[in-house]
Amino acid sequence: MNRVVLYVWPMLELTVSRLHDFVHRLAPNVEGLGVDEVLLRVRLPLTAAGQVFETTVQLSNPTGAGFVVRFLPLSEAPLRPLTDYEQRVATLRRRGLVYPYELVSMLTAARDGEQGEFPAGEFTEYDLDDSGALVPVARPPGLNSASIVVGVLRNIMPTHPEGMARVALLGDPSKGLGSLAEPECRRIMAALDLAARLRTPLEWFALSSGAKIALDSGTENMDWIATVLRRIVHFTQAGGEINVVVTGINVGAQPYWNAEATMLMHTKGILVMTPASTMVLTGKQALDFSGAVSADDNQGIGGFDRIMGPNGQAQYWAPSFPEACALLLRHYDFTYAVPGERFPRRRPTNDPVDRAVRTSPHARLPESGFTTVGDVFDASTNPERKLPFDMRSVMRAVADQDVEPLERWRQWQDADTAIVWDATVGGIPVCMIGIESHTVRRAGFVPSYGPPSWTSGTLFPQSSRKVARAVNAASGNRPLVVLANLSGFDGSPESMRQWQLEYGAEIGRGVTNFEGPIVFVVVSRYHGGAFVVFSKALTETMEIAAVEGSFASVIGGAPAAATVFAREVKRRVERDPRVESARAEAASAGGPQAAALRARAARVVEEVRSQKLHDVADEFDAIHTIERALRVGSVDRIIPASTVRPYVVDALERGMSRTPERTPVATPPG
């Protein structure tokens, strides 16, 4: 632990916030040097008359990855020897680990006279009393007896000046690397009960080596772990939210708890990983010793880059631990609902509600020359709404421009055609889903029985799974906005083998059970099975609008002409005068000209067939228009492209006013 003392002789005329910004810019230059603290002896102006006072500015680095600025009284006292607490901090830091109380200090550092990376806050530690109840405790940090720390975190946020509270669980690696036995499991279950009573999320800074292995305990530890698993199941099924930040290696029981809390279809929480995070059932050393299949390191078994990000089990990645915590707070910006309030609070925005989306920029695509979102809806540039376009550009045009969206599952391989954002529209926090509308190149091995690329507007198995998880996560918390260009589900052998039916059905189940308003906007096409799983018939809380010029039908005109109306196409081809003439000429010819005339007749048939397919497709599309869908009640209204954003805001406000209060999360049984 390195400390640097600097004497600054000139007058220092920096405010706390400016000094913090200055430190933040310089901090990367000392990264990896183990600088724990920098003390500045400075002179600050006291009055306009030139009076000064001397003070000490402390720049500390409690977690090894983020500085906190404090102003301290001047002191000539010598440096103290390291306390037991400080020795634990130093030992863990050498191993790349964070002591839980230092983590709490980082998350709540900002108070009067100091500024940290995070909003001002406080932490109240809880522990079990003699009767086994979880109660607040007033004791110095570091006196926990179990390898997990429990408490209530509260941060002052712009939308929550009274403080945003949540129950926190923090693994303590200084005690058996966070191994788990009865003391830890009792506290975890009590923390889940506390979160249910307070009606707040539970956030879990997870670090554990799994079940405790000792000479004096054995299978009873596994039973305690199973009891916690049962409690997590009950908590999440009752609507409780558990958010996990993986702070180091998670072995055995902890990854299963993480999965039960964040990875299943019904769960609402997120899981964030960093470069130092891994989730393994069995560590590399144990796998190697037992002769099982291993990898070059634990990252190769359960790290984000190679495993947990591509398979969608980890939802977010952050480059450092402080940035993972900052990402968690951003998640709360969109999802935190105060106990007793139905939805996350609306936040102020400078983006006008009536802003037209047509002038918003459109990302450059080689397949189309669109430069603005308006080009997507223009009959002259996209007459049949068949040209590829960038759905993220459309989503960005609808969302508030002064709030950066938070994209969930960005690295999920093979789920590229589904886009899931947390964003605001008119200041209203929403989950926004879009379906990518241009061809996306596949990564990795492509089987011969699957599509060579992910096609526009199509849901493939992992994309369907992503959409279903997003719908379930938003249910009961915030409204859902879907911007749809959906030609249906992919039906290739690969997709059918990869549970396309199951994951598509999960979307329908999620929409049917959705608690809250759903605003569904057809921006291009709306066909096939995707129509079914997002149908108004599934829930009364859904409102469907279509942008003028959109298409909606059971099937698109082109596939309808080629399959359903194949006999009609064939009849028209047979009766076409060009075909009749070419075939008659070929039949009457003899000698060496006969073969050439037959070949010519075949070419004429193909040309005419192509034309007739196009004609029948146009006739089908002309009948099955979006206007017909409006007449039969499949769509609620047709809107001009310029009014998409004000319509979405209005629909959200109407839907939220009709939504009943949510049922509080019940304390799990047992």
Side-chain angles (χ1 to χ4, degrees):
M1 299 178 68
N2 301 309
R3 292 185 172 129
V4 179
V5 180
L6 299 175
Y7 290 82
V8 181
W9 303 119
M11 188 81 67
L12 190 68
E13 298 182 354
L14 291 177
T15 62
V16 177
S17 60
R18 287 196 61 197
L19 181 61
H20 182 267
D21 292 340
F22 183 69
V23 170
H24 192 71
R25 290 199 304 271
L26 289 182
N29 296 319
V30 297
E31 185 175 354
L33 299 181
V35 176
D36 177 66
E37 181 180 273
V38 177
L39 292 176
L40 303 178
R41 294 285 295 268
V42 300
R43 296 187 303 152
L44 301 176
L46 184 63
T47 65
Q51 293 177 300
V52 299
F53 75 100
E54 293 187 34
T55 188
T56 300
V57 181
Q58 181 194 50
L59 313 176
S60 61
N61 189 9
T63 65
F67 278 90
V68 175
V69 180
R70 293 187 179 93
F71 284 83
L72 303 176
L74 205 62
S75 173
E76 300 296 335
L79 287 177
R80 297 177 291 103
L82 287 181
T83 63
D84 178 66
Y85 177 96
E86 291 167 331
Q87 290 181 45
R88 291 189 205 175
V89 173
T91 301
L92 291 175
R93 188 175 298 176
R94 291 189 193 105
R95 297 163 62 186
L97 301 172
V98 179
Y99 196 44
Y101 294 97
E102 292 295 283
L103 189 157
V104 167
S105 177
M106 178 189 75
L107 290 173
T108 61
R111 302 181 187 89
D112 294 337
E114 61 187 67
Q115 183 167 341
E117 301 285 340
F118 296 90
E122 62 182 14
F123 176 75
T124 303
E125 187 174 0
Y126 280 66
D127 209 341
L128 300 178
D129 63 11
D130 294 337
S131 66
L134 197 62
V135 296
V137 292
R139 65 189 184 197
L143 297 183
N144 55 303
S145 59
S147 63
I148 196 159
V149 177
V150 185
V152 174
L153 270 169
R154 188 182 300 272
N155 288 95
I156 307 300
M157 306 291 284
T159 51
H160 300 85
E162 75 280 17
M164 186 178 68
R166 51 270 186 233
V167 175
L169 285 171
L170 305 102
D172 185 353
S174 71
K175 298 180 182 296
L177 198 59
S179 59
L180 303 165
E182 178 181 352
E184 292 73 31
C185 293
R186 285 191 179 276
R187 286 162 175 79
I188 293 168
M189 290 188 291
L192 289 165
D193 292 346
L194 179 62
R197 289 197 302 273
L198 298 179
R199 299 173 63 182
T200 66
L202 183 142
E203 59 188 52
W204 199 331
F205 298 93
L207 187 145
S208 172
S209 59
K212 183 178 181 180
I213 301 173
L215 294 176
D216 58 349
S217 66
T219 57
E220 65 272 26
N221 295 334
M222 306 300 288
D223 289 331
W224 277 107
I225 287 168
T227 306
V228 171
L229 187 69
R230 177 186 179 190
R231 191 64 61 92
I232 292 173
V233 170
H234 288 151
F235 181 81
T236 54
Q237 286 182 166
E241 177 182 340
I242 302 175
N243 300 304
V244 177
V245 178
V246 184
T247 62
I249 186 168
N250 283 201
V251 181
Q254 188 68 56
Y256 266 121
W257 286 346
N258 298 348
E260 201 69 61
T262 66
M263 298 178 193
L264 302 186
M265 277 293 176
H266 68 280
T267 55
K268 301 183 182 301
I270 64 171
L271 188 142
V272 186
M273 296 186 74
T274 69
S277 303
T278 58
M279 291 189 291
V280 299
L281 294 180
T282 307
K284 171 180 169 52
Q285 187 175 359
L287 284 174
D288 290 341
F289 184 80
S290 63
V293 177
S294 180
D296 51 345
D297 55 17
N298 284 319
Q299 288 288 337
I301 301 171
F304 182 90
D305 290 337
R306 286 176 275 177
I307 306 296
M308 297 300 167
N311 71 13
Q313 292 184 324
Q315 301 181 28
Y316 293 107
W317 181 85
S320 68
F321 180 69
E323 288 174 281
C325 295
L327 192 149
L328 181 58
L329 289 181
R330 283 201 66 206
H331 166 75
Y332 289 135
D333 275 345
F334 298 108
T335 65
Y336 187 86
V338 174
E341 298 181 10
R342 177 60 184 85
F343 296 103
R345 288 178 179 172
R346 193 166 182 170
R347 55 195 296 169
T349 177
N350 296 319
D351 194 1
V353 169
D354 59 355
R355 173 178 56 79
V357 302
R358 297 183 66 97
T359 57
S360 297
H362 183 279
R364 292 283 184 180
L365 291 178
E367 306 99 314
S368 62
F370 300 152
T371 57
T372 66
V373 170
D375 293 338
V376 177
F377 306 115
D378 197 310
S380 62
T381 55
N382 193 12
E384 296 182 335
R385 297 285 168 87
K386 290 183 177 180
L387 290 179
F389 63 91
D390 179 61
M391 181 55 80
R392 283 185 174 84
S393 296
V394 179
M395 295 169 68
R396 199 70 188 93
V398 175
D400 293 337
Q401 301 291 293
D402 53 358
V403 176
E404 187 66 25
L406 186 60
E407 181 165 352
R408 195 182 289 202
W409 297 294
R410 183 69 184 261
Q411 288 82 7
W412 192 342
Q413 188 174 323
D414 299 340
D416 311 65
T417 56
I419 305 165
V420 178
W421 281 4
D422 282 320
T424 61
V425 186
I428 301 171
V430 301
C431 174
M432 183 178 288
I433 296 177
I435 310 303
E436 191 54 271
S437 297
H438 63 87
T439 299
V440 179
R441 184 179 179 182
R442 294 187 62 169
F445 172 74
V446 179
S448 60
Y449 50 86
S453 59
W454 306 128
T455 50
S456 169
T458 307
L459 281 172
F460 297 87
Q462 293 304 313
S463 296
S464 301
R465 185 180 171 202
K466 182 196 283 192
V467 170
R469 288 183 66 184
V471 171
N472 290 332
S475 178
N477 176 259
R478 57 201 183 281
L480 180 66
V481 175
V482 183
L483 301 181
N485 173 38
L486 272 171
S487 59
F489 294 99
D490 179 64
S492 68
E494 180 192 14
S495 290
M496 299 304 289
R497 182 178 292 182
Q498 297 297 323
W499 307 288
Q500 179 71 288
L501 291 176
E502 179 179 336
Y503 295 142
E506 286 287 358
I507 299 177
R509 185 167 72 102
V511 171
T512 300
N513 295 330
F514 193 84
E515 298 179 19
I518 302 175
V519 181
F520 190 94
V521 181
V522 183
V523 298
S524 185
R525 288 183 169 268
Y526 185 29
H527 303 301
F531 201 125
V532 175
V533 299
F534 281 111
S535 170
K536 277 172 49 64
L538 295 179
T539 174
E540 293 76 20
T541 66
M542 177 185 286
E543 184 172 316
I544 298 181
V547 178
E548 290 176 345
S550 300
F551 294 83
S553 62
V554 177
I555 190 173
T563 56
V564 181
F565 302 107
R567 182 175 297 178
E568 174 63 19
V569 171
K570 182 179 180 181
R571 185 184 65 81
R572 295 188 185 189
V573 171
E574 297 291 338
R575 294 183 179 183
D576 190 277
R578 291 167 293 178
V579 172
E580 291 177 345
S581 174
R583 284 179 173 174
E585 187 177 357
S588 62
Q593 291 184 341
L597 289 174
R598 285 196 298 270
R600 176 181 173 276
R603 289 195 301 271
V604 171
V605 169
E606 286 304 312
E607 291 171 1
V608 173
R609 184 176 182 276
S610 177
Q611 179 186 332
K612 298 305 180 184
L613 279 170
H614 189 271
D615 292 344
V616 173
D618 286 347
E619 291 173 20
F620 183 86
D621 282 339
I623 295 171
H624 294 276
T625 60
I626 199 67
E627 288 77 17
R628 185 182 185 280
L630 178 65
R631 288 196 303 271
V632 300
S634 298
V635 171
D636 291 304
R637 63 185 70 190
I638 300 172
I639 59 175
S642 58
T643 64
V644 170
R645 178 174 158 83
Y647 162 75
V648 170
V649 174
D650 181 57
L652 287 171
E653 290 174 340
R654 285 185 280 105
M656 292 167 69
S657 67
R658 295 192 300 264
T659 302
E661 290 298 313
R662 61 179 175 175
T663 304
V665 177
T667 300

